[in-house]
Amino acid sequence: MNVISGNVGLGTTSPDHAYSTMGMQIESDDSVALRLTDTTGADFEIAARSGDVLLYERNGKHIRFGTGGGERMRITSAGKLGIGATAPKGLVEIQSSTTPELIFNDTGGGSGSKIFRLSGGGDKFFFEGRNDNSQD
């Protein structure tokens, strides 16, 4: 273990970080991981293996993502994705108290974007497709 200017390095003599001035770097030839566990059964691993980056929950618990002190998205133990939904009913569920929408925006060339929008609110459901840059 090396401590340099407040940085901790495991497997490296010169720990370096792109987004902070202090932190920890773990380095290995092929596989490296940081595993976080608690006494309630949570067992989470962040790893780099054979060129892949992994986020892995080892005991069948949900993985939750949050901002501003609240949960915004989760992947359930069954592999379902909930955005704004803590118990998604389908493979992907988007839930919002205002107007939930799903936007596909192809900016791959041409005179403008190709936009496909699926949204709903109240008792209405909207389906839209157009060729421009406006998302209004």
Side-chain angles (χ1 to χ4, degrees):
M1 177 170 66
N2 294 298
V3 179
I4 299 174
S5 300
N7 291 317
V8 176
L10 301 174
T12 179
T13 58
S14 55
D16 188 26
H17 308 284
Y19 298 106
S20 66
T21 56
M22 296 177 69
M24 179 171 32
Q25 178 177 339
I26 306 170
E27 192 171 311
S28 174
D29 290 340
D30 179 56
S31 180
V32 64
L34 175 62
R35 188 170 172 185
L36 308 170
T37 61
D38 70 14
T39 59
T40 66
D43 190 352
F44 185 72
E45 186 174 320
I46 302 167
R49 290 196 183 117
S50 303
D52 291 330
V53 175
L54 306 165
L55 299 175
Y56 189 70
E57 201 298 310
R58 301 168 61 90
N59 283 341
K61 306 287 185 186
H62 305 312
I63 298 175
R64 299 185 286 176
F65 301 86
T67 62
E71 181 178 329
R72 306 293 181 227
M73 181 174 73
R74 80 167 48 192
I75 301 171
T76 70
S77 59
K80 295 178 179 180
L81 173 64
I83 301 172
T86 58
K89 295 169 192 68
L91 188 57
V92 176
E93 181 176 343
I94 300 172
Q95 196 175 91
S96 173
S97 61
T98 55
T99 303
E101 61 183 7
L102 179 62
I103 298 173
F104 298 90
N105 191 348
D106 175 7
T107 59
S111 61
S113 296
K114 290 87 172 160
I115 297 172
F116 169 78
R117 182 187 299 188
L118 185 62
S119 63
D123 60 351
K124 297 184 175 153
F125 177 75
F126 304 99
F127 175 82
E128 173 185 15
R130 63 176 183 227
N131 290 323
D132 66 31
N133 292 342
S134 170
Q135 291 191 18
D136 298 336

